[in-house]
Amino acid sequence: MKPAIRFSDPVDCGERTIVPIIRDITRVSDQWGMVARDPVGLVIMENKEAWFISLAEGITQSVIDELLDTGE
């Protein structure tokens, strides 16, 4: 099953907001199921500015662009 990358719940730290980007990996068999969450990036917002920090290889700004794409 293909891993799903998504935004996690934002965390407010004073005037700074941190939004983790996580990869959900689901494994299912006839007898068990498992979901693993792997942190792959951070979006840090402060004073109307935002920064992206990659925590995994292959996670780039384009991943955020895809997450924010509304299909318009």
Side-chain angles (χ1 to χ4, degrees), residues 37-57:
R37 293 197 167 112
D38 185 22
V40 296
L42 297 172
V43 176
I44 300 171
M45 297 178 287
E46 183 177 8
N47 297 326
K48 298 182 181 180
E49 293 187 47
W51 298 270
F52 168 68
I53 299 169
S54 177
L55 301 175
E57 188 175 323

Side-chain angles (χ1 to χ4, degrees), residues 2-3 5 12-14 17 19 25-26 34 47-48 51-53 61 63 66 70-71:
K2 182 180 178 184
I5 295 178
D12 290 323
C13 303
T17 300
V19 183
I25 303 168
T26 304
M34 176 190 81
N47 297 326
K48 298 182 181 180
W51 298 270
F52 168 68
I53 299 169
Q61 180 68 39
V63 171
E66 289 176 21
T70 59

Side-chain angles (χ1 to χ4, degrees), residues 14-32:
E15 293 185 21
R16 182 176 294 164
T17 300
I18 301 171
V19 183
I21 301 171
I22 59 174
R23 179 185 297 133
D24 287 336
I25 303 168
T26 304
R27 308 243 185 222
V28 178
S29 77
D30 292 340
Q31 299 171 344
W32 56 271

